[in-house]
Amino acid sequence: MGDLILIAVGSALVSNVVLSQFLGICSFLGVSKKTETAVGMGGAVIFVITLASLVASLLYKFILQPLGFDYLNTIVFILVIAALVQIVEMFLKKFVPSLYNALGVYLPLITTNCAVLGVALNNVQDEYNILESVVNGFATGVGYLIAIVLLAGIREKMEYNDIPESFKGIPIVLLTSTLMAIAFFGFSGLI
Amino acid sequence: MNSCGERLKNGIIDENPIFVLLLGMCPTLAVTTSAMNGIGMGLSTTAVLVMSNMLISMLRKIIPDSVRMPAFIVVVASFVTIVDFLMEGFTPSLYDSLGIYIPLIVVNCIILGRAESYASKNPVLPSIFDGLGMGLGFTVALIAIGLVREIIGAGQAFGYQILPLADEAAGTGGYVPVTVFILAPGAFLVLAVLAAIQNKVKINMEKKGKDASKIQSGCGSDCATCGGCGASAGKGKE
């Protein structure tokens, strides 16, 4: 149990997926204009990463590893993630339309989000068992949610600020991320 | 039809994937702690890009339109796996320092983007040179960012100490490295300044009345492309 909490805190805060591992930067910069959409994107990422970690580690433990096909990791994982996102989208559309309306638009964006593949590969590299993989996936998703919602909140406030002309747009967002990344160093004493 | 030399110049200067198109941000930020890492990442991405462009261009009449995205992903992922093993065997120290970012070349938007927008529509030879140009442009940008971070953050260039460090024990003065530049926040900071410089150049060009429309910036289009990839990858699966 203690191990699981350590993994969770480590992935969510200490080595935050966006601010210290640089995974999923594209959507982090692109979908953080409003807090509402940021929350939607964060929720969708938590959902998909948790599910993808579960499926990827099941596949690895019961098919790839026993048969000695470890070297196919990258190919298998990316295809599984692409298929999984598609199945989740169809499933939600059919059976949980309210959730689909909330997350639907963000789901296709997630296939090419390197955070999902990154977590699946990390789980294998760090030799986590299935439960640990799922916890790690969920915590990584939570870390992503925290980072993107914080950034969106700051960006909403910045709308009304007088920013030098050449720093408008992406540069000021990157500067904000710099300061957030420095702030997240504060968590490194936790573990 | 574009000549091969033109494809090279286009990739390195006119449509530089990092500085102009803002594609492939994850590896750009993550591995540029030193210029050597930049070279390693850039060249391995170039290798994958050239080979996948070549194969996809050869297969462009065979792959049915509806399943092209999954097919592209399989091609790219296979080449990435090959590069991954070659690097593990021949450059183990580089392999260790790049770590998880090598398999993550698969989800680099540059590669799927070029496959979709160029290689799947053009003959083999121009596609190879398009891949080479884009890859070299990516490499040059990574080296530039890596150099800035390495010089400021450690006083080194390509692993050699170029700025003598201060030594308090010996009482000699010298350069005091700003360590934050080789840590995570430094990546964001350097890229922010570079993007601001690019904005500045663009504004100046517009003031002079030159056509700056070629320089498009923005994650907006980038993310749309990524999303597009994802969306059509999904459609292929249905």
Side-chain angles (χ1 to χ4, degrees):
Chain A
M1 192 62 209
D3 284 352
L4 290 182
I5 294 174
L6 271 186
I7 292 175
V9 174
S11 321
L13 298 174
V14 181
S15 58
N16 186 283
V17 62
V18 183
L19 295 170
S20 82
Q21 296 189 54
F22 307 108
L23 301 177
I25 293 285
C26 187
S27 56
F28 177 70
L29 299 176
V31 201
S32 57
K33 284 206 182 80
K34 282 201 189 116
T35 324
E36 280 168 30
T37 48
V39 172
M41 184 70 193
V45 166
I46 293 182
F47 189 64
V48 172
I49 289 193
T50 313
L51 208 58
S53 316
L54 175 67
V55 175
S57 65
L58 282 176
L59 268 178
Y60 181 74
K61 281 272 167 347
F62 293 112
I63 298 180
L64 293 176
Q65 206 181 20
L67 297 178
F69 286 152
D70 303 31
Y71 58 92
L72 289 177
N73 277 349
T74 317
I75 305 176
V76 171
F77 287 174
I78 186 76
L79 286 177
V80 165
I81 289 167
L84 189 70
V85 170
Q86 197 56 33
I87 293 169
V88 166
E89 197 179 342
M90 290 190 301
F91 179 82
L92 288 183
K93 202 173 181 178
K94 183 93 179 163
F95 296 106
V96 202
S98 59
L99 195 60
Y100 176 79
N101 288 336
L103 302 182
V105 270
Y106 307 107
L107 284 173
L109 277 175
I110 293 177
T111 317
T112 45
N113 189 328
C114 36
V116 184
L117 183 61
V119 172
L121 290 169
N122 253 339
N123 286 338
V124 170
Q125 250 173 29
D126 295 349
E127 291 172 1
Y128 287 154
N129 63 31
I130 292 167
L131 182 62
E132 284 168 341
S133 303
V134 174
V135 170
N136 185 32
F138 180 74
T140 306
V142 172
Y144 180 89
L145 177 79
I146 294 174
I148 196 171
V149 170
L150 283 177
L151 181 69
I154 299 173
R155 280 182 81 169
E156 278 184 355
K157 295 274 181 218
M158 276 193 320
E159 287 276 293
Y160 307 105
N161 289 1
D162 190 18
I163 301 163
E165 202 176 358
S166 41
F167 272 91
K168 274 182 187 155
I170 290 298
I172 193 74
V173 179
L174 285 168
L175 272 188
T176 315
S177 325
T178 313
L179 296 178
M180 284 170 66
I182 294 176
F184 268 71
F185 270 156
F187 289 115
S188 55
L190 273 181
I191 286 187
Chain B
M1 186 56 58
N2 286 317
S3 73
C4 298
E6 199 182 322
R7 294 316 306 165
L8 277 179
K9 177 174 167 283
N10 177 57
I12 298 174
I13 299 165
D14 298 341
E15 285 186 16
N16 186 296
I18 293 184
F19 293 138
V20 182
L21 301 177
L22 280 177
L23 284 175
M25 283 294 128
C26 301
T28 310
L29 293 166
V31 304
T32 50
T33 48
S34 72
M36 269 327 271
N37 280 359
I39 293 182
M41 188 68 198
L43 290 185
S44 42
T45 308
T46 308
V48 174
L49 197 51
V50 169
M51 291 188 292
S52 67
N53 258 11
M54 182 180 76
L55 194 65
I56 287 168
S57 173
M58 283 173 178
L59 297 175
R60 69 185 188 282
K61 289 182 183 129
I62 303 172
I63 299 175
D65 210 34
S66 53
V67 292
R68 66 181 194 287
M69 273 300 159
F72 293 169
I73 291 178
V74 172
V75 169
V76 175
S78 316
F79 282 125
V80 168
T81 309
I82 294 172
V83 167
D84 187 82
F85 276 99
L86 287 178
M87 289 181 75
E88 192 177 5
F90 292 104
T91 55
S93 63
L94 193 62
Y95 181 81
D96 285 339
S97 62
L98 294 180
I100 192 174
Y101 297 97
I102 301 172
L104 284 178
I105 296 175
V106 181
V107 279
N108 191 329
C109 296
I110 299 172
I111 297 176
L112 272 184
R114 290 328 284 178
E116 168 75 3
S117 68
Y118 197 87
S120 60
K121 300 189 186 82
N122 288 287
V124 177
L125 201 59
S127 298
I128 292 176
F129 277 90
D130 182 71
L132 196 59
M134 277 287 159
L136 289 180
F138 185 64
T139 313
V140 168
L142 285 188
I143 295 174
I145 300 174
L147 259 184
V148 172
R149 290 180 66 186
E150 205 182 349
I151 292 174
I152 301 179
Q156 298 176 339
F158 297 101
Y160 295 104
Q161 201 72 38
I162 53 164
L163 298 171
L165 296 184
D167 190 349
E168 274 182 33
T172 51
Y175 180 70
V176 181
V178 191
T179 319
V180 77
F181 271 86
I182 49 174
L183 298 175
F188 287 113
L189 186 60
V190 172
L191 199 67
V193 173
L194 285 173
I197 293 173
Q198 190 204 327
N199 266 357
K200 182 82 186 162
V201 171
K202 202 167 126 190
I203 293 166
N204 283 349
M205 275 169 82
E206 269 164 12
K207 271 183 194 153
K208 283 180 195 157
K210 279 187 192 161
D211 179 26
S213 59
K214 250 190 162 176
I215 304 179
Q216 40 171 288
S217 84
C219 186
S221 59
D222 169 23
C223 288
T225 331
C226 292
C229 292
S232 34
K235 274 189 200 105
K237 292 260 165 229
E238 267 176 313

